[in-house]
Amino acid sequence: MSAMPRIPAPFRLRVLLSVVVAPLLWAIPFALFFGTLYGGGWLTYQSAYVVSLVFAVIIRGATVLAERVVVPKLRRRAGTGSYPWFFDAAVYMAVSVSASYLAAIIVDRFLVRGFLGSPRAWLVSGMFAVAFTLLVGGIIYARVFYRQAVSRAVALERMQAELARAELRALRAQVNPHFLFNTLNTIAALISENPAAAEDVVTRLADVFRHALTASGREHTRLADELEFMRSWLAIERVRFGDRLRVVEDIEPGLDDVPVPGLLFQPLIENAVRYAVAPRPEGGTVSLRVRRDPSGQTLTAEIADDGPGFAPGVRPSGNGVGLESVRERLRLGGAGHAFALDTAPGMGTRVRVTLPIAPVPSAPLADALAIAAACDAPPLVAKARA
């Protein structure tokens, strides 16, 4: 003989609170009302509370039965079509009135003889049922609507998170081919002029793409790994530009393990080389400075060049993938991420990127997921990846 399924303890506790404890509280206002109506003495209030408690327990038990059995069955029969809310209201009202008269019969038989001894008494019992139904039904519907609102909010947050990740993947897909195209051009130019240098560039390109492929598979990478990637990339570019490309690094010690968005600095460095070094016979200087901010919560990376610059608000010649991709990735990063551009004709270009030292999920999404867990929100088919 198979064992009966075990009812989870949280479910049993909710049923206990809903059917037993809640009526103990809900009977109080009715006891005060009817006790005052029938004299206002202590014994009158006590008797009114006992009678109200009988009504509260029986009516609440009947509404729980309707909530968990009758209403779900009607909704399943209705299918996925529209289900008018007043159907539920009619069910609760009918169940409550029936339960009220059952409670009145119990009171008449065991507590107050003659409780249903007149038409007026029958009318009062019906009024009691209607009043209690409005109270309990309002609480039930407020809870249902709250859970539905929370579920919709969680679904919206998850979809927004998934959209942000999809946009981020699209931005990376724009940057990576751009980088590969420029590097292959460098190799092609070196093959006939300097085969040994071309071979060295190919070797370095393998190291660069090993990091690029690894970084593309996750949102963050160590700052030390990102800087090593940048040094390999600049070594490739230095083969092409020689002494025309000058690089200055100023990295604060102790930041090696700070997580930063993968492939974030490369488009900025590439932008500086493209506009400050490549078009000028004398070349230019590109500097990279990374510092922990005084708050200790964020770090600032500054990429600057001594090139011609451009007027603020005017996009430099080219497709602008580099700056726009970084700006958009930081926007998608949420709180703690910032992008600032400082440039002027003849004054070079300076880009400042602010990053949180310990990135965490965005607050709206974390809060929504916590609420979902607390409210048993239904799972979605498309979930945001961690």
Side-chain angles (χ1 to χ4, degrees), residues 329-378:
R329 289 182 65 184
L330 293 174
R331 182 187 70 81
L332 297 175
H337 298 73
F339 177 91
L341 176 65
D342 183 16
T343 185
M347 300 296 293
T349 302
R350 187 183 308 272
V351 177
R352 285 185 299 278
V353 171
T354 302
L355 302 168
I357 288 182
V360 296
S362 61
L365 179 59
D367 293 345
L369 293 177
I371 294 174
C375 295
D376 298 326

Side-chain angles (χ1 to χ4, degrees), residues 190-202:
L190 288 172
I191 287 176
S192 59
E193 299 175 4
N194 191 341
E199 182 179 354
D200 181 65
V201 172
V202 170

Side-chain angles (χ1 to χ4, degrees), residues 313-338:
V314 176
R315 179 185 292 231
S317 60
N319 56 19
V321 168
L323 292 178
E324 289 304 318
S325 68
V326 172
R327 192 194 307 270
E328 187 68 6
R329 289 182 65 184
L330 293 174
R331 182 187 70 81
L332 297 175
H337 298 73

Side-chain angles (χ1 to χ4, degrees), residues 4 13 33 62 73 94 99 129 131 139 143 174 177 197 217 220 239 243 265 271 286 290 315 327 329 333 335 386:
M4 296 197 54
L13 179 61
F33 173 77
K73 187 174 181 179
I139 294 174
R143 185 182 62 185
Q174 283 182 307
H220 292 86
V239 172
D243 293 338
F265 301 142
N271 218 55
V286 178
V290 180
R315 179 185 292 231
R327 192 194 307 270
R329 289 182 65 184

